[in-house]
């Protein structure tokens, strides 16, 4: 296990132990294990690529904070809180990233914009992601609990080039969706196009 | 060879023979052969799926009318003729469909909106394509001169279900672009998403 950082009390409304308790209460056991795994992967990537370990820890732990919120609650927030109403045409897979920061701010009192942005983009990415955003995007894909054929290669790439790991994940995800004829949220293509131009 | 239709002189500004001459003068020999092939494939599909053979013939022959126009000419038209300026971030592969109808209208005097729409959408498709649009989209992919591994299957599918043939082409195209890390024009994803929801 990677050493977990101590959160500065002047900057964050909770200690790591307090955040862990909140997540344990909010998430199913399976998802709770997943976010611990993403935190670990994010801390490793933060050390390797020079990101703030506190932000990596909190963003890793919080990235799926809103994943188990019900569809009706999402729809209510989207309709009343100035979100793009096109989101109503999508589903939890999009919402937990795009609307997740709203729940994190209102329920946890966390307002660090770098962390909220990393939660926002952790599923679809976006052009010009920060290092922290790329770390959470990739950590979610390669955390120790993940077990799918492409994960071995993804973990290897993540050790040598963070940007390449982002692109590998984006292309694998598009392949997955196209093969299964699952609609693709267009922002994922904007991420792909930005990386393709590099 | 499928019988080619006679164009009604009151509806179109040229006979088929006159249009053929204009295309022969405008296009390289290789592309001229291609558009003849697309016309043939489009006529077959029009008979099978109940579309107007004159429109299928003209749209098949004209779909690549603007393919060999130079980039500077495209840029000038995009900037001066009220096109979406985001097109300037793309290339001939997008332009020859989206800007092609402008050249067809101004240079050939052809104004049939169903044909112009089929030219517009022949590369990226669009949600809710007409039968004629789907025919040109698919005919461009399966015409007799095409020779790539997936074309055999695409020709089979086109004989049994036009909509399935569209989706096969869309998914193959996305696969092709993703594999080669070539930016994807977002409208292709809107087409995919619309078909995926069926």
């Amino acid at each position: 296990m990677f050493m977990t950082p101590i959160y500065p009390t002047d900057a964050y409304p909770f200690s790591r132990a307090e955040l862990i308790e909140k997540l344990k209460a909010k998430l199913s056991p399976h998802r709770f294990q997943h976010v611990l795994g993403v935190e670990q992967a994010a801390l490793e990537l933060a050390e390797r690529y020079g990101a703030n370990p506190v932000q990596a820890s909190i963003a890793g732990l919080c990235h799926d904070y809103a994943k188990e919120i019900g569809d009706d609650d999402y729809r209510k927030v989207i309709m009343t809180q100035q979100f793009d109403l096109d989101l109503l045409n999508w589903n939890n897979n999009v919402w937990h990233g795009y609307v997740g920061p709203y729940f994190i701010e209102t329920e946890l009192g966390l307002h660090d914009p770098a962390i909220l942005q990393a939660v926002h983009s952790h599923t679809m990415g976006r052009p010009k992601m920060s290092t922290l955003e790329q770390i959470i995007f990739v950590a979610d894909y390669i955390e120790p609990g993940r077990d799918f054929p492409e994960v071995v290669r993804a973990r290897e790439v993540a050790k040598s080039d963070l940007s390449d790991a982002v692109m590998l994940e984006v292309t694998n995800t598009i392949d997955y969706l196209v093969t299964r004829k699952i609609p693709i949220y267009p922002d994922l293509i904007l991420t792909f196009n930005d990386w393709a131009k590099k």
Side-chain angles (χ1 to χ4, degrees), chain A:
Chain A
M1 282 275 279
F2 237 69
M3 283 284 287
T4 51
I6 293 164
Y7 301 171
T9 52
D10 57 334
Y12 295 102
F14 41 60
S15 66
R16 182 174 177 278
E18 286 165 347
L19 177 57
I20 293 278
E21 282 313 304
K22 288 172 195 284
L23 293 170
K24 206 171 197 165
K26 180 89 177 172
L27 302 175
S28 63
H30 174 79
R31 182 150 289 111
F32 180 66
Q33 283 306 313
H34 166 64
V35 302
L36 290 176
V38 173
E39 182 202 24
Q40 280 299 305
L43 286 170
E44 281 190 48
L45 293 170
E47 177 162 287
R48 190 179 294 275
Y49 295 108
N52 181 313
V54 171
Q55 290 179 321
S57 165
I58 298 176
L61 288 170
C62 289
H63 80 285
D64 270 355
Y65 178 80
K67 184 85 180 184
E68 294 172 12
I69 288 172
D71 288 359
D72 287 347
D73 289 336
Y74 271 116
R75 288 195 192 96
K76 202 157 71 179
V77 168
I78 291 166
M79 287 190 286
T80 60
Q81 302 296 324
Q82 279 81 51
F83 281 90
D84 179 352
L85 293 179
D86 175 61
L87 284 169
L88 295 172
N89 299 316
W90 296 86
N91 54 36
N92 179 284
N93 190 43
V94 176
W95 297 339
H96 84 284
Y98 283 62
V99 187
Y102 170 84
F103 290 105
I104 292 171
E105 286 204 85
T106 54
E107 297 182 7
L108 296 181
L110 175 75
H111 304 292
D112 182 331
I115 294 175
L116 297 173
Q117 181 61 56
V119 173
H120 181 94
S121 57
H122 87 268
T123 315
M124 302 301 160
R126 66 170 182 131
K128 323 253 173 289
M129 278 193 277
S130 70
T131 300
L132 181 67
E133 285 175 271
Q134 295 182 53
I135 283 172
I136 301 305
F137 186 82
V138 171
D140 186 24
Y141 197 63
I142 65 167
E143 62 101 352
R146 294 291 196 195
D147 180 25
F148 52 89
E150 299 85 358
V151 77
V152 179
R153 171 95 185 114
R155 287 183 183 129
E156 270 173 34
V157 173
K159 280 183 185 158
S160 61
D161 190 307
L162 184 60
S163 180
D164 287 351
V166 169
M167 188 56 160
L168 182 66
E169 178 178 345
V170 168
T171 56
N172 283 350
T173 303
I174 297 172
D175 274 350
Y176 177 94
L177 297 169
V178 168
T179 303
R180 286 161 186 75
K181 302 199 191 337
I182 299 170
I184 300 172
Y185 194 65
D187 284 6
L188 182 64
I189 300 302
L190 300 187
T191 305
F192 171 79
N193 287 350
D194 186 58
W195 255 251
K197 281 173 195 151
K198 282 176 185 177

